[in-house]
Structure formats: structure tokens, C-alpha cells
Amino acid sequence: MPRKKETIVDVVTETKAVEAKPTTKQTSNSKTSKTNKNESPSLPTSTETIISTKTAKPTPKAKKEALPKPKTITRTELIQEVARAINEHMEITYRDAEEIVNEIINSMINALKAGDEVEIRGFGSFRIRTRNARNGRNPKNGALVEVPSKSVVYFKQGKDLKQSLLKSN
């Protein structure tokens, strides 16, 4: 007679019952057989081993593990890092470090707005790229939509940054 599939509730209940009772070892001379309402009387059961089969849906194929999300450095963390790095050489307050970081970022923004390229040797360069106007499609209804031209910031990593990232991997 085939064995009835156990549910999670049955396994948990059976596990609690096993933990409450002292375990009995089975010997080859005398087999102790206890029956459960979910098992057939002809099958011997062991109080030491519980086989669990779920009646839930079969598990889908395993997906590839996603890479962990990288940590993002915020403006505040950047200010703290600048303050700590400069404090090694001279005395500086958090407010001074904040002004330094804000001035660097504002200078870069103003240069990009003017159409200039911002280059930081060893790190990379920022420049504005213009994307041409194009015809797109509305994904909801498939209708043609005209997408206007726009300007986007483009970053190209520097040689030193590229080499240091390759070494770290």
C-alpha cells in the first residue's frame, strides 16, 4: 500500500511528538514499530528519522543568484570622507569639507552646462552627448510616439580606474 503524502503540519506535529518522547533505538533482533494515522501499519517507522514530503507546488527551476547590490556612497558620506582625509594633514571642520565637495560638484555641473568636458586624470572624464530625435512605440497600445532629442551625461573611465577595478576582481 503506498504511503500517504505528509503535509507540513503533520511533520511539525510529528517532530514535536518525537522531541517530547525519549528516543528508542531499533535493533536488528527486535523492531519497534509505531503507527501514525498517516502511515500504513506495514511500514516500520523510526523516531530518529522523519521524511518530509510537501503537498505544495513543485519548486520552479533555480534561477541564477543575483549579485549583491553595491553600496552607494552618498554626498554626506563623501563629505565625511573628504573631512577625514584632509584632517590627516591639517585641521578642517565638517562645514568646510561640505563647502569643498559642493564647490567641486557645482563646478563640474557648470562646465557640463557650458558644453565643456570635465576630465579628472586617472579617474575619468564626463561629457555631454546629444541623442537624436527618434520614433518610439507606446508599450501599452503600440502607437507611434515621437521621442525628442535630449542631452545626457556620458562618463568614460580613466586608465588608472580601469586597471584598479580589474585588479580588485
Side-chain angles (χ1 to χ4, degrees):
M1 175 183 268
R3 188 174 180 181
K4 183 181 175 186
K5 289 187 177 180
E6 297 174 328
T7 63
I8 298 289
V9 175
D10 295 334
V11 173
V12 170
T13 307
E14 190 176 22
T15 305
K16 287 180 181 177
V18 169
E19 291 173 355
K21 295 179 186 177
T23 58
T24 58
K25 292 189 178 181
Q26 292 182 356
T27 60
S28 59
N29 296 340
S30 65
K31 289 188 177 181
T32 318
S33 136
K34 296 181 182 181
T35 58
N36 190 345
K37 63 180 180 179
N38 294 333
E39 298 176 352
S40 95
S42 63
L43 294 174
T45 60
S46 170
T47 56
E48 296 172 359
T49 308
I50 297 175
I51 299 172
S52 167
T53 56
K54 297 179 183 177
T55 58
K57 296 178 185 176
T59 57
K61 291 182 181 179
K63 293 182 179 178
K64 292 182 182 179
E65 289 185 29
L67 294 174
K69 187 175 179 181
K71 184 180 181 302
T72 302
I73 298 177
T74 62
R75 183 185 286 233
T76 306
E77 292 170 339
L78 181 62
I79 292 168
Q80 291 170 351
E81 188 68 28
V82 167
R84 193 179 46 132
I86 293 177
N87 271 334
E88 292 176 3
H89 304 290
M90 60 189 215
E91 200 65 32
I92 188 173
T93 64
Y94 177 83
R95 189 166 284 189
D96 292 337
E98 184 178 21
E99 287 180 29
I100 291 169
V101 170
N102 288 338
E103 188 59 38
I104 291 171
I105 292 173
N106 288 335
S107 302
M108 292 173 66
I109 290 171
N110 292 336
L112 290 170
K113 280 182 180 178
D116 298 334
E117 185 175 319
V118 177
E119 182 180 332
I120 303 169
R121 297 273 177 179
F123 180 69
S125 61
F126 297 88
R127 64 184 169 128
I128 298 291
R129 278 192 173 174
T130 304
R131 293 196 180 157
N132 294 330
R134 60 184 175 86
N135 290 327
R137 293 224 176 244
N138 183 341
K140 216 172 198 179
N141 57 22
L144 280 174
V145 177
E146 196 170 310
V147 180
S149 66
K150 59 183 172 182
S151 299
V152 294
V153 178
Y154 175 75
F155 174 75
K156 183 176 180 184
Q157 64 184 355
K159 187 177 179 182
D160 295 342
L161 176 63
K162 187 175 187 177
Q163 288 175 350
S164 68
L165 291 175
L166 288 175
K167 287 180 185 176
S168 67
N169 289 338

